[in-house]
Amino acid sequence: MTVMAEGAIATADNAEMTTAAALNSALDLALAADPKVLLLGEDIADPSGGVFKVTKGLSTRHGIHRVRDTPIAEQSILGTAIGAALAGYRPVAEVMFFDFITVAMDQLVNHAAKFRYLSGGQHPVPITVRTVVGNSRFGAQHSQSLEAWFMHTPGIKVAFPSTPSDAKGLLASCVFDHDPCLFIEHVGLHYSQKEMVPTGDHRVALGRAVVRRSGDDVTVVSYGAQMPGVLGAAEQLGAEGVSVEVIDVRSLVPLDFPTVLASVARTRRAVVVHGATRFAGPGAEIAATITEELFESLAHPVVRLGARFVPTPFLASGLEALPVPADVVDAVRRLAAS
């Protein structure tokens, strides 16, 4: 069974939304609530409203002085956002594709992430960087899932939602957080699913995982675009008599290890699934922590499923680099039999 997001605060009725609509709602409410919230990015103002239409209508409602189109210059986008944050604003900077954030790594890693520390806590940098992954129809330079790079950087929080409700709640929490937040969206989730989402203020706390499906035999830990496939695999395995517990971590920094460890302590078997490269990916840290904390009680070593260590193939090539539901089914079957 699936569940609604935990840690949520709704102040109005619910409405059915796609992930894109839920993100738009979060930004709209943030702009309305705080005049210091600004949006920066390429083509985000109307009439375009963003490449994926997430910011559609926001410049019309709140003005082009607050929803600002920028040149194609990621260094300038993040540099401006950092400067605005130090001046008391809460900028939300959009980097159109995750791959392009590499152009502005210095601003994000060496400046935004460090100012609070270097100033003895006097100068937080409350910026949110929205970015998109998963557009493999453009191939290797528009599809990389690079979240592990930023998990490795102290001072940056990292969120990667899998549902519309969590997308709205996590984005709102990021916008009003005092530290830099990297908010990752998967293009495949923008319009592929709908659910009831609070129309008013809605927050999901960073660092709180949710159990999407309860089970007793094997724990599967995942997040983002892999979650629908993982839940589908769990349904199939349930029909075979294998009880799978599915945990959506939702944010990677901070990461809710207590929820993960409590589940694995009970099932004694774990699979970690993500779309980032398996080698040195987020699953390596999760698996290592599970092993360090629960080594004596594990029935089997933790299994990691991630992208192959190759550049992301062009979609039309027919090549497959990402783990698919059948891979999850096979991994769980092996663990359940051990």
Side-chain angles (χ1 to χ4, degrees), residues 60-98:
T60 299
R61 286 194 290 277
H62 300 282
I64 58 173
H65 64 295
R66 297 186 64 200
V67 182
R68 303 180 68 101
D69 277 340
T70 68
I72 303 174
E74 287 77 15
Q75 286 179 315
S76 295
I77 294 170
L78 291 194
T80 300
I82 293 167
L86 291 172
Y89 289 86
R90 290 189 175 276
V92 181
E94 179 181 307
V95 175
M96 192 178 293
F97 293 102
F98 206 168

Side-chain angles (χ1 to χ4, degrees), residues 26 30 167-177 183 201-204:
K168 179 174 180 176
L170 288 168
L171 181 55
S173 292
C174 286
V175 172
F176 292 105
D177 197 279
F183 186 88
D201 183 43
H202 173 58
R203 310 284 176 93
V204 172

Side-chain angles (χ1 to χ4, degrees), residues 235-252:
E235 289 284 349
Q236 178 182 336
L237 289 157
E240 299 174 7
V242 180
S243 179
V244 180
E245 181 143 297
V246 177
I247 296 176
D248 184 346
V249 295
R250 303 196 287 192
S251 72
L252 294 161

Side-chain angles (χ1 to χ4, degrees), residues 38-51:
L38 305 173
L39 309 189
L40 306 169
E42 300 163 15
D43 298 323
I44 66 170
D46 295 328
S48 174
V51 172

